[in-house]
Amino acid sequence: MDVEQSTGAMNADTVGIAKNPSPSLEERSVRHGDLLGGEKVDEALAAKMIIVNDTIDEIGFTHHHWKLFCLNGFGYAVDSLILLIQSIISTQARLEFQPSYATGLTIAVYVGMLVGAIFWGFSADIIGRRFAFNVSLFISAIFTVVAGASPSWITLGLFVCLSAFGAGGNLVLDTTVFLEYLPSKNQWLLTLMAAWWGLGQLIAGLFAWAFLPNYSCSDAATCTRENNQGWRYVWFTSGAFVFVLSILRITIIRLQETPKFLIAEGKDAQAVRVLQEIATRYNRPCSITRERLEACGTTAQRSTTATGLTQRLVSPGEVFFHLRGLYATRKMAISTTMVWFSWLLIGLAYPLYNVFLPIYLASRGASFGQSSAYITWRNYAINNTCSIFGPVLAGFMCRSPWFWGRRGTMIIGALVTMIFFFCYTQVRTASQNLGFTCAISFCLNIYYGTLYAYTPEVFPSGHRGTGNGVAIGLNRIMGIISAVVGEAANTATSVPIFICAALYIVMAIVAGTLPFEPYGRRSS
């Protein structure tokens, strides 16, 4: 039997428990394949998580999960959309505003995403997942539209930062919400969901291809707002698109707090109600009861005197409670540190390549006699189309024993990406230029998509938002550093490509040393 499928065989496990009426928590954790089952932290909470996982497996995969796959995928798409739009339009905006600091927009977008990741990440563990799910995209949509009307470079940077603040929390919540509703045998879909990231890139590229070649100036001396409307059209169109997605989020599904968050908060009755409503709606069995959960004991609660929402969000006790939870055991501490280090590495490598990709394409295209904006943005759209399918392949690799699970998929993705990076430095023709950038985008997203899925899987549910938020926050810090590097160095040369290749070698090594392998195991 496939290992991934065997974790969903709850009936056999239930029979086994019946024969042994009082198995220890550790025996039950091993029997059910719980990923953090051997890490004894809060035995009452761990016992309740086993029951919740059993119930989610009992209910199985439903249309509710397909809705979550799409609605949470919107967050992936918007994050990549906002990140890339600023790099796409920065050249034209610079011609119009002639700023003193050329990479200011890149710094602005990463600052916004950094603050967003930290804010929405901690709030997800303190006040819940639902608020960010319903609000974050709407915030991003408003400021994305407003950014298109910016009268100056500084104002544009401010609105880009605020737009990124809304978008930046989505990657923290998207994986968390989806994972905490998924049956164990379907956890590989978390990797597949990263295909939405590539879709967001594609949409950004298509908007650029549609507007920039025909509505842009080419000379700073004659560039005015009237003859340089293309980059503004890109912002307006993107903002309208994000607004539609934000409306769909609150109309297609009325998201309730995830059962695992409710259990971690000690709200057993609400968790039972959420699971029973899903089971009833889709005519599925559901054996969980409040009495079974309460029989497990009382879970440890954070101690804080803060009562108001604002007080709780800024309370040091709340923050340290969740940070300590990520370092509760030695193995968890190593895992948390290595995961965060992986995000630091990809945070430098990804923007050095992707954010400055238009510069690479334009400089390489010019050297091959393809200097037109139409060719540049056509190639950019093709490149981003290829990036969609990297996570698709990664999703199927993650559920196959031939690729050693999530860690093996990350190792393969990082090493193959590194090879193509080195090959790209030897490009000599226009066809090679397009072919190798497409190959890099495809392979890069095998690693990135798997890391996005792996991260929430190895964090405990009660502290998952915090762990995700810090990971993505570290990623954004390195994005800011990459912008500084981009200002000081010549990004039209092959030097950043060599740096990226070296970073992916380190990423492969780190992936091989990660202590937890989620393949065939259930997340807490």
Side-chain angles (χ1 to χ4, degrees):
M1 178 185 288
D2 187 287
V3 181
E4 192 90 31
Q5 293 178 341
S6 67
T7 60
M10 189 192 68
N11 292 336
D13 289 335
T14 305
V15 173
I17 292 176
K19 293 179 180 178
N20 181 7
S22 57
S24 68
L25 174 62
E26 187 168 358
E27 288 173 339
R28 293 181 67 194
S29 297
V30 171
R31 181 177 298 160
H32 287 264
D34 291 321
L35 185 62
L36 301 180
E39 310 302 305
K40 294 184 177 180
V41 180
D42 184 342
E43 293 206 3
L45 179 60
K48 291 181 180 182
M49 285 298 176
I50 291 175
I51 295 174
V52 170
N53 274 330
D54 288 347
T55 305
I56 292 174
D57 285 344
E58 182 183 23
I59 294 173
F61 197 82
T62 67
H63 290 297
H64 181 76
H65 297 94
W66 280 122
K67 292 178 182 177
L68 288 176
F69 178 82
C70 295
L71 296 175
N72 284 289
F74 292 168
Y76 266 81
V78 171
D79 187 278
S80 64
L81 180 77
I82 300 302
L83 177 62
L84 292 187
I85 282 178
Q86 63 80 25
S87 68
I88 287 171
I89 63 91
S90 62
T91 298
Q92 292 306 130
R94 286 200 305 268
L95 287 175
E96 182 176 331
F97 297 128
Q98 301 183 37
S100 58
Y101 204 84
T103 58
L105 291 189
T106 302
I107 294 175
V109 77
Y110 274 108
V111 168
M113 288 187 168
L114 166 63
V115 177
I118 298 299
F119 175 83
W120 298 113
F122 281 111
S123 70
D125 285 338
I126 295 173
I127 64 174
R129 285 65 158 133
R130 182 181 181 182
F131 176 75
F133 181 87
N134 290 334
V135 172
S136 58
L137 280 190
F138 180 75
I139 293 175
S140 183
I142 296 300
F143 289 109
T144 301
V145 172
V146 174
S150 300
S152 68
W153 182 257
I154 294 176
T155 307
L156 176 60
L158 172 63
F159 290 135
V160 167
C161 183
L162 292 172
S163 174
F165 168 76
N170 280 281
L171 292 182
V172 180
L173 271 298
D174 296 332
T175 53
T176 297
V177 170
F178 191 47
L179 175 64
E180 293 187 355
Y181 276 104
L182 269 179
S184 56
K185 68 177 182 180
N186 300 109
Q187 283 181 195
W188 66 275
L189 287 172
L190 203 62
T191 303
L192 181 63
M193 195 169 72
W196 287 93
W197 174 273
L199 184 61
Q201 291 179 314
L202 172 61
I203 292 171
L206 291 176
F207 286 162
W209 190 12
F211 295 115
L212 293 183
N214 299 318
Y215 302 98
S216 299
C217 61
S218 58
D219 183 10
T222 60
C223 193
T224 65
R225 178 166 182 164
E226 287 70 26
N227 65 7
N228 195 38
Q229 289 288 316
W231 69 267
R232 298 179 186 274
Y233 294 156
V234 172
W235 278 116
F236 293 146
T237 309
S238 299
F241 173 71
V242 177
F243 181 74
V244 171
L245 297 185
S246 68
I247 296 299
L248 292 176
R249 269 199 171 184
I250 61 176
T251 55
I252 290 181
I253 192 171
R254 300 181 68 85
L255 183 74
Q256 302 188 62
E257 291 295 354
T258 67
K260 292 183 178 181
F261 171 78
L262 294 171
I263 289 293
E265 289 287 293
K267 300 177 181 178
D268 296 350
Q270 293 184 38
V272 170
R273 178 177 56 80
V274 170
L275 290 169
Q276 288 179 342
E277 285 182 2
I278 295 174
T280 301
R281 187 182 311 135
Y282 296 100
N283 194 27
R284 301 293 178 88
C286 181
S287 59
I288 192 172
T289 63
R290 180 178 179 178
E291 290 71 25
R292 288 181 62 196
L293 292 175
E294 291 177 346
C296 297
T298 304
T299 59
Q301 297 292 309
R302 55 180 177 265
S303 57
T304 177
T305 58
T307 56
L309 175 60
T310 304
Q311 289 178 303
R312 292 184 68 187
L313 283 174
V314 300
S315 169
E318 296 277 353
V319 173
F320 288 122
F321 171 80
H322 292 294
L323 290 175
R324 284 196 305 269
L326 298 170
Y327 284 81
T329 68
R330 181 176 179 274
K331 192 173 181 180
M332 289 172 64
I334 294 173
S335 174
T336 298
T337 302
M338 298 300 283
V339 167
W340 286 352
F341 183 54
S342 298
W343 280 95
L344 274 174
L345 294 172
I346 192 67
L348 180 59
Y350 184 85
L352 273 180
Y353 174 70
N354 275 68
V355 173
F356 297 112
L357 182 60
I359 300 175
Y360 296 141
L361 289 173
S363 62
R364 290 299 179 94
S367 65
F368 301 139
Q370 294 181 319
S371 57
S372 73
Y374 179 87
I375 294 295
T376 296
W377 297 116
R378 183 207 65 180
N379 290 352
Y380 193 67
I382 294 173
N383 178 276
N384 288 324
T385 301
C386 295
S387 68
I388 297 175
F389 300 100
V392 175
L393 176 60
F396 288 100
M397 290 172 66
C398 284
R399 68 189 301 242
S400 171
W402 295 100
F403 299 103
W404 314 298
R406 275 63 156 172
R407 291 180 299 186
T409 301
M410 284 191 284
I411 293 171
I412 294 170
L415 291 179
V416 175
T417 303
M418 176 268 298
I419 292 172
F420 279 114
F421 267 126
F422 280 126
C423 292
Y424 186 56
T425 62
Q426 303 303 311
V427 164
R428 296 294 181 267
T429 68
S431 297
Q432 291 174 351
N433 182 41
L434 179 59
F436 277 107
T437 55
C438 288
I440 290 172
S441 292
F442 177 85
C443 297
L444 183 154
N445 280 283
I446 293 177
Y447 174 87
Y448 214 167
T450 307
L451 179 63
Y452 266 118
Y454 179 89
T455 300
E457 285 187 296
V458 297
F459 287 144
S461 179
H463 316 292
R464 185 168 284 137
T466 299
N468 270 4
V470 173
I472 296 174
L474 292 172
N475 177 277
R476 306 316 189 192
I477 290 174
M478 298 308 289
I480 296 171
I481 293 175
S482 75
V484 177
V485 172
E487 175 70 16
N490 183 3
T491 55
T493 70
S494 297
V495 174
I497 303 297
F498 280 112
I499 295 174
C500 290
L503 288 172
Y504 274 94
I505 296 175
V506 180
M507 288 181 221
I509 296 172
V510 173
T513 60
L514 292 168
F516 292 113
E517 172 50 60
Y519 177 78
R521 312 291 294 278
R522 303 194 305 189
S523 295
S524 71

